[in-house]
Amino acid sequence: MKKFFVMMAAATMILSGCGASTQVASTKKSVNPDGQLLENNPCIEYAMMKPKTRTYGDGTHFKESTATNIAEAQARGKFARRIEAAVLSATEEIGVSLEKYSGDAMGGSSATDQSAEANDMVSSIAAQCIKNTYIVKVSRYYTENQQYKIYVCLEYGGSEDEMADQIVQSVVDKISEADRAKIEARHDDFRNRVYNNLKD
């Protein structure tokens, strides 16, 4: 009888050991090498539906209003960088030199100054455009460490076409006569380049 119990205990240990190794093996097979797939927040999904005129940001803070301000500032920053990139890309492609204009306007500056002034001009154009953006969606969370996690989606207060037109007009208003003539001669081409570059 004692021998029977010893044999049963040994069999149980062997079977449970096999089960454990099978369980570990099956767990290893299901692990994604890229890590855990995260679902997009509703604000991110909403922004992705209109990538030219919407963007999102997120912020975390112990005060809800501060977390919202951080999220909004991040979204506005993304919008500004997108507009700046679109302007710089379109002007380069069309042959308009913002650095040259800055030097002409200032009576001849150093190359560094010209580049800085061109960047200031592009930033100014972006700042004008993002004044016309509004929060259109918010997701609010309260985390385990008692902080607010806020997502916001910002949207330009007009259509994609209106946004491109505003950017083009802002560029035209700030450049030299010679470069303005280049843009006017190829207006549709320049506008389309701006429009197509308005994405993340």
Side-chain angles (χ1 to χ4, degrees):
M1 190 72 172
K2 185 175 180 182
K3 190 174 180 182
F4 174 75
F5 282 121
V6 170
M7 287 174 59
M8 288 296 288
T12 303
M13 286 173 58
I14 290 169
L15 289 174
S16 65
C18 289
S21 64
T22 303
Q23 190 175 24
V24 169
S26 67
T27 303
K28 285 182 181 176
K29 286 179 186 174
S30 66
V31 172
N32 185 334
D34 294 327
Q36 183 181 356
L37 179 65
L38 301 177
E39 290 184 24
N40 278 337
N41 179 276
C43 284
I44 298 173
E45 291 283 356
Y46 196 63
M48 290 169 65
M49 291 167 68
K50 288 188 176 180
K52 284 184 170 61
T53 56
R54 290 180 188 160
T55 193
Y56 72 92
D58 65 88
T60 305
H61 198 270
F62 294 103
K63 291 183 178 177
E64 184 176 2
S65 60
T66 304
T68 303
N69 290 340
I70 293 168
E72 186 175 356
Q74 188 185 91
R76 287 187 188 281
K78 284 183 184 179
F79 241 132
R81 286 189 298 275
R82 182 189 306 168
I83 293 166
E84 289 167 11
V87 169
L88 289 172
S89 178
T91 52
E92 285 171 14
E93 290 166 4
I94 208 99
V96 173
S97 173
L98 300 180
E99 287 87 354
K100 181 164 103 16
Y101 166 67
S102 296
D104 291 347
M106 300 304 293
S109 305
S110 71
T112 305
D113 290 341
Q114 291 173 19
S115 180
E117 287 157 6
N119 288 337
D120 287 346
M121 185 203 311
V122 174
S123 296
S124 168
I125 292 166
Q128 285 177 344
C129 292
I130 63 172
K131 283 180 184 175
N132 194 24
T133 57
Y134 309 93
I135 294 177
V136 291
K137 196 168 187 66
V138 178
S139 295
R140 300 162 62 242
Y141 302 92
Y142 194 65
T143 65
E144 289 182 3
N145 60 344
Q146 299 180 333
Q147 293 190 85
Y148 291 94
K149 175 83 172 183
I150 307 293
Y151 287 82
V152 301
C153 176
L154 278 188
E155 183 168 16
Y156 178 77
S159 68
E160 294 176 0
D161 288 325
E162 289 169 333
M163 186 174 188
D165 289 339
Q166 182 183 358
I167 293 168
V168 170
Q169 189 57 52
S170 296
V171 172
V172 167
D173 289 345
K174 292 180 181 295
I175 60 176
S176 67
E177 288 291 333
D179 283 336
R180 189 175 301 153
K182 285 183 188 177
I183 288 180
E184 287 170 357
R186 299 175 62 189
H187 180 272
D188 291 344
D189 185 25
F190 180 72
R191 186 196 171 284
N192 288 338
R193 289 174 190 276
V194 169
Y195 179 86
N196 291 330
N197 285 317
L198 282 172
K199 57 185 185 298
D200 280 326

